[in-house]
Amino acid sequence: MSAVARRFVAQWRLRPLTAERVAQVADVDRRAYRFPWSEAVFRDCLSAGYHGWVMLVGSGDALAGYVVLSVGAAEAHILNLCVAPEYQRRGFGRVLLKHALDAARAMDTRVVFLEVRRSNDIAMALYRDVGFRRIGVRRGYYPDDGNREDAFVYALELGWRLR
């Protein structure tokens, strides 16, 4: 890890996602994804009572990433996890993921689900490394320039030890 990356990692903070941060979160989403969520979708998540956290880095509180989690009926679903392009490959996605899993565990959930684009090898490697198992495929789940891309469905039983 570079000295710059170590400096950023040492200075991160997680805070709840609030309406005041929605524009920043949507900006990160736009820069990271070809088919981002709108500000309205993030606001709907907050209105629905979903849980979200933002990762702030550095002394200027730059928003490096976020995670959105839905919890109900002893299950959780990671709806979105994103790291800004300029902060990727520094371990921030893992920190956000583990925080969401700890929160799900604290809310007495037994299993956590998520979907990931078939083409997102980096995210799948992270999910597998943390202990998620691929359990299915959702055909044509994601938009993809006039076509649709499949999603792999992953699950993690929270009794498994996190690495």
Side-chain angles (χ1 to χ4, degrees), residues 72-118:
E75 297 180 355
H77 194 134
I78 295 175
L79 301 173
N80 204 337
L81 188 154
C82 181
V83 175
E86 64 272 24
Y87 294 105
Q88 291 177 1
R89 308 289 296 191
R90 297 183 187 185
F92 293 144
R94 181 178 300 270
V95 170
L96 286 161
L97 177 61
K98 286 190 172 186
H99 183 78
L101 296 174
D102 288 344
R105 186 176 291 107
M107 291 181 253
D108 294 324
T109 60
R110 294 185 191 130
V111 62
V112 178
F113 298 97
L114 60 83
E115 289 88 15
V116 61
R117 281 182 181 272
R118 178 186 288 271

Side-chain angles (χ1 to χ4, degrees), residues 9-28:
V9 169
Q11 296 180 13
W12 61 264
R13 294 159 312 289
L14 292 173
R15 299 290 183 262
L17 173 58
T18 61
E20 294 77 27
R21 294 261 188 211
V22 164
Q24 287 177 290
V25 167
D27 177 63
V28 166

Side-chain angles (χ1 to χ4, degrees), residues 34-35 117 140-150:
R34 289 183 319 168
F35 300 95
R117 281 182 181 272
Y141 187 75
Y142 289 108
D144 189 33
D145 292 328
N147 295 310
R148 306 292 295 179
E149 183 176 357
D150 294 345

Side-chain angles (χ1 to χ4, degrees), residues 115 118 134-141 149-154:
E115 289 88 15
R118 178 186 288 271
R134 193 172 101 191
I135 61 168
V137 177
R138 294 190 196 277
R139 302 271 177 229
Y141 187 75
E149 183 176 357
D150 294 345
F152 290 137
V153 181
Y154 280 78

